[in-house]
Amino acid sequence: MSVQVTCQLSGGTAVTDITSSVAQVSVNRGRTDETEPFQTGRATLTVRNLDGTFDPVGTPFRLRDDVVVYWTGNGTAVPVFSGFVEDVTLGYDLSGDATVQVTCSDGLALLANQEIVEQSVGIQQSGERVQTVLGNAGVSWPAGTAIDTGISELAAGTASGNALQYLRQAEESEQGYLYVARDGVLTFRNRHTTLNNPIAGSQFSDDGAGIPYEQVERFSGARSLFNKVTGELEDGTAREADDLTSQGEFSIRTLSLGTVLLRTAAVLEEFVEYLLSQFSEPTTRVDRLTVNLDRLSAAHQQSLAEFELVDICDVEFTPPGRSQFTDELLVQGITHAVTVGGAWRTTLSFQPRDVRSFLVLDEDPEGRLDQNVLAF
């Protein structure tokens, strides 16, 4: 197992492997709160510069140089981050040591700096609206895309303003997932992505039955407790949903969606009720776990490297003095911390997975009335 880093130095087109100069790598992707959008992915590289290769007069890193970080093993290379250079800091001391700190971002940072040329839009599914924005004259997306059609029908109107902010409105209106994947592909997934899905092949356990982990954190509290949900359409039509029992027990805790792009008040009403059903009670769950890849089999190492945002998994844990339990979870954050010649640690952070059985027509058992709930 090892880390590999490739980039296009000095804005050139040739890919350069700088692995031999890399000392440390950290990668941080995703979010920590399921009510917030996914944030711009970041990577930080510490690169040795004893021969001056990466000085400004040598072969320097420059703004927008492409950077890819790989896990390598099993005869394969798995990308864990794809992005570009944002900032470069060169450090020296009198002993002759010299390093370069390279801060990288994924493609969401590009969209955050682009403005939509005002454009009339018709009634569209949420994914179609995402595609429309990406094709706007004021928006330039350089890499691949994987865009679901979407389930929510968005109202006709005018698309304008900051590209990333508008795309996040479409994401919220879908209650879907918008992020840049570890291979650099801009990804939009609809809200049904994780409903009735089988567990994704990799599961974690403290008894040898799955991937072993070295540290686990559990969370119990009201961080994601909301018993009043409010939202409004672009025309000002507002709706709210309330769980009076929860409000009586925990006081009123409001999740305000602001303006969403949905088409009708009836759908908005279903929308806030759906969210209320998810957040009206406090949760206890495994919040995050950390794995030392050096202690894993080669197959398990690769499984960790291949984890992506919105993947689902089981975590088995046995608290002191208690019986083992299993949490069914959705990955919402991924970090990698690598010291070359030392350990590679990966931390996954989670949100609860909606494990209710949702109705699927003409399917058994998901198609049985009175046994499955309707999804929004």
Side-chain angles (χ1 to χ4, degrees):
M1 176 204 70
S2 63
V3 64
Q4 180 183 16
V5 180
T6 64
C7 61
Q8 294 178 332
L9 292 173
S10 302
T13 57
V15 174
T16 303
D17 188 335
I18 64 166
T19 304
S20 61
S21 299
V22 172
Q24 290 183 316
V25 178
S26 65
V27 172
N28 189 2
R29 302 176 53 238
R31 63 188 181 189
T32 58
D33 185 338
E34 57 261 42
T35 66
E36 297 295 327
F38 289 106
Q39 301 302 304
T40 300
R42 309 282 183 189
T44 302
L45 315 177
T46 301
V47 182
R48 292 182 294 269
N49 191 34
L50 296 178
D51 60 1
T53 296
F54 303 109
D55 275 26
V57 295
T59 310
F61 293 95
R62 299 195 313 179
L63 178 67
R64 284 292 290 121
D65 281 348
D66 293 327
V67 174
V68 183
V69 179
Y70 296 90
W71 170 90
T72 59
N74 284 348
T76 188
V78 177
V80 298
F81 174 85
S82 299
F84 59 90
V85 173
E86 286 258 59
D87 295 300
V88 181
T89 303
L90 291 90
Y92 311 87
D93 65 32
L94 295 181
S95 71
D97 192 18
T99 59
V100 181
Q101 294 282 340
V102 185
T103 302
C104 309
S105 300
D106 70 21
L108 289 186
L110 298 176
L111 296 172
N113 287 287
Q114 297 177 2
E115 294 292 315
I116 299 170
V117 175
E118 191 169 291
Q119 178 178 357
S120 295
V121 291
I123 297 170
Q124 294 176 303
Q125 302 302 113
S126 57
E128 294 173 328
R129 185 66 55 84
V130 170
Q131 295 278 30
T132 296
V133 171
L134 294 177
N136 183 269
V139 179
S140 176
W141 176 254
T145 61
I147 311 297
D148 283 353
T149 301
I151 296 164
S152 289
E153 193 173 64
L154 306 190
T158 301
S160 61
N162 180 268
L164 182 57
Q165 290 179 5
Y166 189 89
L167 289 172
R168 283 174 168 166
Q169 270 192 292
E171 174 191 22
E172 182 176 52
S173 301
E174 170 66 35
Q175 282 300 295
Y177 311 94
L178 177 73
Y179 57 91
V180 173
R182 55 186 173 79
D183 60 0
V185 172
L186 181 65
T187 304
F188 179 73
R189 303 180 70 179
N190 71 55
R191 64 178 175 270
H192 289 180
T193 295
T194 63
L195 302 186
N196 292 345
N197 275 5
I199 297 301
S202 297
Q203 302 185 43
F204 300 90
S205 181
D206 58 356
D207 64 2
I211 299 175
Y213 49 87
E214 68 174 11
Q215 186 176 354
V216 64
E217 297 178 16
R218 297 177 72 197
F219 167 79
S220 180
R223 184 173 66 201
S224 298
L225 170 62
F226 301 100
N227 46 39
K228 176 191 287 288
V229 182
T230 65
E232 64 179 54
L233 304 180
E234 290 183 289
D235 65 5
T237 300
R239 291 290 186 271
E240 75 173 51
D242 295 271
D243 186 322
L244 299 181
T245 300
S246 177
Q247 290 177 9
E249 187 172 1
F250 304 111
S251 190
I252 296 176
R253 301 175 62 90
T254 302
L255 175 60
S256 177
L257 304 174
T259 301
V260 295
L261 305 176
L262 296 171
R263 184 183 177 193
T264 68
V267 174
L268 176 61
E269 189 166 335
E270 294 176 353
F271 184 71
V272 294
E273 291 284 356
Y274 171 76
L275 292 178
L276 184 70
S277 72
Q278 287 188 306
F279 297 123
S280 61
E281 295 294 329
T283 62
T284 298
R285 67 174 189 264
V286 170
D287 197 41
R288 47 191 278 154
L289 61 77
T290 299
V291 180
N292 185 340
L293 270 67
D294 296 318
R295 299 177 181 175
L296 302 183
S297 67
H300 282 164
Q301 289 176 9
Q302 184 169 339
S303 293
L304 259 293
E306 291 175 343
F307 255 97
E308 185 53 274
L309 300 175
V310 198
D311 278 353
I312 57 178
C313 64
D314 279 354
V315 176
E316 295 179 337
F317 176 56
T318 310
R322 300 290 181 180
S323 300
Q324 186 182 70
F325 67 87
T326 301
D327 271 357
E328 297 173 280
L329 302 164
L330 183 73
V331 176
Q332 66 171 351
I334 303 172
T335 67
H336 301 282
V338 187
T339 299
V340 174
W344 179 317
R345 285 182 167 85
T346 297
T347 299
L348 303 179
S349 58
F350 303 105
Q351 67 186 73
R353 176 175 171 243
D354 194 338
V355 296
R356 293 175 292 180
S357 179
F358 289 86
L359 184 70
V360 178
L361 294 178
D362 299 322
E363 290 286 341
D364 186 13
E366 284 83 11
R368 299 177 185 176
L369 294 175
D370 300 323
Q371 295 190 38
N372 302 281
V373 297
L374 294 175
F376 162 66

